[in-house]
Every structure is written in C-alpha cells, then in structure tokens.
C-alpha cells in the first residue's frame, strides 16, 4: 500500500491507521509513507495498527503467516530522534507490541541522529528484520558505534545501508570490526558509501571486502 508523497499530516496518518487496523494481516505486505511528515503520533499510530493486524486471531494466523514478510518505508518523514525510542518497543521481541513479521525497514533521511541508539538496542535480539536502511541520517561515529554493537548481537540482519551518514574513520573501524564477526546464513551486504571515512577507513573497508569475498559485500564507492 503506497501513500508516499501525499502531504499527509500526523492527523491524517492517524486516521489512516484506523483503516489499516481493519486490514487482514495475511494481505498486508508493505506500507509506504515516504515524503510525509507523519510525526511521532502518526508513527505510533501506524506501528500500533500494523501490530494489531498481525495479532488478530493470532492462533489462526500462526499457520497463515508462516514465512510472512512485511516492509515499512518511512523515507524522508522527518521523524526525529524520538522515533528511535518509539521504534525500539516495536522491534524488541520481548515487547508486547513487537511486530514479528517486519523484514524491511527504511528510515532514510528521517533525522534520526541520536535516535539510532535506542533503535539499535531494539534490534539486539531481533530475528526477523533482514534489511535496515538508514541512508542520509547524520548519525556520525557515535551512531556507528551503536549500530556496530547491534551487529555483534544480531545474527539475522542481512543488509545494512548507511550511505551518507557522516561516519568517519573511528565509526568505520567499529563497523568493520563488528561486520567481521557478523555471520548470517547467506550473504551480508553493507553500504557505507559517501561517508568521510578517510584513507584509513577506505583501507579497512577494502580489507574487509577482500577478506570475505563470498559471504560479505561491502559498498563504499
């Protein structure tokens, strides 16, 4: 379901969330809100609605949703730092509001900043999310450290996009060390292009790419 670039407000997003709650989780495969200023209230409303969809008649859906995949696109939605705490509760498996079928989350250019820390904490034990897209969020080296810590715990994420996130040499070092110990079934891909990692960081990225040619794809140019 694509609602991108419709100038939706937080109020209209909240109203739309009520409609989403009525959709069968079996038929819900993706939601796209790119380019709308949905706000924290709108984000909570959407996440609660999606959680409700997949919780309806849980025992019956347990069979129907075996292998179910759901994608959520929130690119350029001006979410801000607070969204990290909001998302954490929906990404943590032990949380009562955990969205169990979310496999792709796109938060590109959503002004996450320090919000990437609680977001990353929510993914430590997450076994369902496969793709995390954080492009164009100025998380810096501190944010890279939080993401790196997440990778040492999470063994199920298979793609991580961190293009143009103001990650320097120290953040690149942390990420390379974490990716070296991050083994998943299949291939792992990380995009660190358009970051100021300097010559030392480029050497680390090249070495990481050459060390695991069959299991890891590292994009930095």
């Amino acid at each position: 379901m694509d609602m991108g670039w419709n100038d939706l407000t937080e109020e209209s997003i909240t109203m739309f969330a009520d409609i989403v709650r009525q959709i069968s989780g079996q038929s819900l495969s993706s939601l796209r809100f790119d380019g709308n200023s949905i706000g924290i209230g709108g984000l909570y409303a959407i996440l609660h609605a999606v959680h409700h969809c997949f919780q309806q008649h849980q025992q019956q859906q347990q069979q129907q949703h075996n292998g179910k995949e759901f994608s959520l696109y929130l690119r350029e939605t001006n979410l801000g730092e607070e969204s990290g705490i909001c998302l954490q509760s929906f990404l943590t498996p032990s949380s009562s509001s955990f969205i169990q079928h979310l496999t792709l989350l796109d938060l590109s250019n959503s002004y996450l900043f320090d919000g990437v820390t609680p977001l990353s904490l929510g993914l430590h034990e997450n076994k369902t999310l496969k793709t995390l897209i954080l492009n164009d969020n100025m998380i810096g080296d501190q944010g890279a450290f939080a993401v790196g810590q997440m990778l040492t715990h999470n063994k199920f994420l298979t793609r991580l996009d961190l293009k143009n996130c103001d990650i320097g040499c120290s953040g690149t070092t942390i990420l390379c060390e974490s990716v070296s110990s991050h083994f998943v079934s299949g291939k792992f891909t990380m995009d660190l292009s358009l970051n100021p990692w300097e010559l030392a960081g480029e050497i680390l990225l090249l070495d990481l790419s050459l060390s695991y040619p069959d299991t890891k794809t590292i994009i930095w140019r």
Side-chain angles (χ1 to χ4, degrees):
M1 188 177 297
D2 190 348
M3 300 298 294
W5 311 102
N6 278 302
D7 294 323
L8 299 177
T9 63
E10 182 174 327
E11 182 180 0
S12 57
I13 287 287
T14 302
M15 294 174 61
F16 180 76
D18 291 334
I19 299 174
V20 172
R21 293 172 66 91
Q22 308 305 315
I23 300 174
S24 167
Q26 186 178 5
S27 60
L28 187 64
S29 60
S30 69
L31 284 175
R32 187 180 292 271
F33 293 99
D34 300 337
N36 295 295
S37 296
I38 68 176
I40 288 298
L43 178 62
Y44 267 111
I46 287 298
L47 293 175
H48 275 295
V50 171
H51 174 256
H52 177 77
C53 283
F54 292 128
Q55 285 296 105
Q56 293 181 87
H57 313 296
Q58 187 174 6
Q59 291 184 345
Q60 179 183 357
Q61 292 183 354
Q62 190 169 359
Q63 281 188 326
Q64 295 176 349
H65 288 173
N66 186 28
K68 173 73 178 177
E69 295 187 355
F70 171 71
S71 301
L72 182 60
Y73 299 89
L74 299 169
R75 180 166 59 96
E76 296 186 37
T77 46
N78 300 315
L79 291 175
E81 295 183 16
E82 293 180 60
S83 62
I85 298 175
C86 171
L87 287 160
Q88 180 183 6
S89 64
F90 291 91
L91 294 170
T92 304
S94 59
S95 169
S96 60
S97 55
F98 174 57
I99 300 177
Q100 59 183 326
H101 300 293
L102 181 62
T103 56
L104 184 151
L105 179 61
D106 185 354
L107 297 167
S108 299
N109 196 18
S110 291
Y111 300 96
L112 280 177
F113 299 111
D114 292 342
V116 74
T117 298
L119 169 69
S120 298
L121 286 171
L123 290 172
H124 276 210
E125 304 300 327
N126 188 294
K127 297 181 180 180
T128 57
L129 193 71
K130 306 300 180 186
T131 300
L132 178 62
I133 306 173
L134 299 175
N135 297 332
D136 303 307
N137 284 290
M138 300 296 103
I139 65 172
D141 290 337
Q142 183 175 344
F145 177 79
V147 175
Q149 286 289 98
M150 177 269 292
L151 288 175
T152 62
H153 293 85
N154 184 305
K155 302 302 180 184
F156 294 87
L157 196 69
T158 57
R159 183 173 182 99
L160 174 63
D161 284 12
L162 293 166
K163 184 188 300 182
N164 189 33
C165 286
D166 196 33
I167 298 172
C169 185
S170 60
T172 301
T173 300
I174 292 166
L175 286 169
C176 286
E177 291 174 352
S178 299
V179 171
S180 295
S181 60
H182 180 78
F183 290 97
V184 296
S185 57
K187 198 158 190 170
F188 176 77
T189 300
M190 179 173 69
D191 188 346
L192 266 180
S193 57
L194 302 180
N195 282 291
W197 17 252
E198 303 175 353
L199 178 59
E202 182 171 357
I203 292 172
L204 286 170
L205 290 166
L206 177 60
D207 181 65
L208 179 62
S209 181
L210 294 175
S211 298
Y212 305 96
D214 298 323
T215 58
K216 303 181 193 298
T217 299
I218 310 300
I219 303 168
W220 74 94
R221 287 183 177 177

